[in-house]
């Protein structure tokens, strides 16, 4: 599957309850710069991929991930009442990146990222 980051995310109403829940969670997490959620066709687990804001003293994002990653994953599982695999990617990103597997993108949120197209 290929996610294109060159195209700006849709600014429409959430397509499902899951994307609405993810949008609310994203709005509550200032350390998360971008979020993508992918529902795989071959497994019931929802993949939530985040890109974090760099720290104030540099580009290091590991401290925020280490401090919040487990809590974020637990919070997402509780809110979505299901299996969630939370993953982190590092930026800056190319115009597009690949993830393995087949599925549907349920959310692509980047309004907090001033480097994103049309942000």
């Amino acid at each position: 599957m290929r996610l294109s980051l060159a195209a700006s995310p849709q600014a429409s109403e959430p397509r499902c309850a899951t994307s609405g829940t993810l949008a609310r969670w994203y709005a509550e997490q200032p350390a998360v710069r971008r979020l993508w959620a992918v529902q795989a066709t071959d497994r019931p687990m929802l993949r939530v991929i985040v890109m974090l804001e760099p720290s104030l003293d540099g580009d290091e994002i590991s401290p925020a991930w280490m401090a919040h990653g487990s809590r974020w994953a637990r919070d997402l599982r509780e809110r979505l009442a299901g299996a969630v695999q939370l993953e982190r990617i590092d930026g800056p990103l190319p115009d597009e990146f690949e993830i393995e597997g087949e599925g549907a993108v349920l959310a692509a949120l980047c309004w907090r990222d001033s480097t994103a197209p049309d942000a």
Side-chain angles (χ1 to χ4, degrees):
M1 173 182 289
R2 189 179 284 271
L3 294 176
S4 175
L5 301 181
S8 60
Q10 297 290 329
S12 61
E13 290 294 314
R15 294 182 294 171
C16 64
T18 299
S19 60
T21 299
L22 288 165
R24 286 186 295 280
W25 184 86
Y26 173 76
E28 296 169 4
Q29 310 305 326
V32 177
R33 178 181 282 185
R34 293 188 184 194
L35 177 146
W36 299 268
V38 178
Q39 181 65 62
T41 56
D42 59 343
R43 57 189 162 148
M45 184 170 292
L46 177 68
R47 291 180 67 187
V48 177
I49 304 162
V50 295
M51 185 172 88
L52 303 180
E53 289 286 346
S55 64
L56 296 176
D57 60 350
D59 292 333
E60 185 64 41
I61 59 172
S62 294
W65 180 254
M66 290 173 25
H68 302 292
S70 296
R71 180 178 51 83
W72 288 340
R74 189 172 45 252
D75 187 28
L76 286 168
R77 282 191 294 273
E78 289 172 5
R79 289 181 187 216
L80 298 169
V84 174
Q85 178 179 338
L86 182 62
E87 304 171 32
R88 181 196 90 207
I89 58 171
D90 297 328
L93 297 175
D95 286 344
E96 50 184 37
F97 68 97
E98 290 185 27
I99 62 170
E100 292 184 25
E102 297 288 327
V105 177
L106 299 181
L109 304 166
C110 67
W111 57 260
R112 187 176 287 122
D113 187 357
S114 62
T115 65
D118 298 333

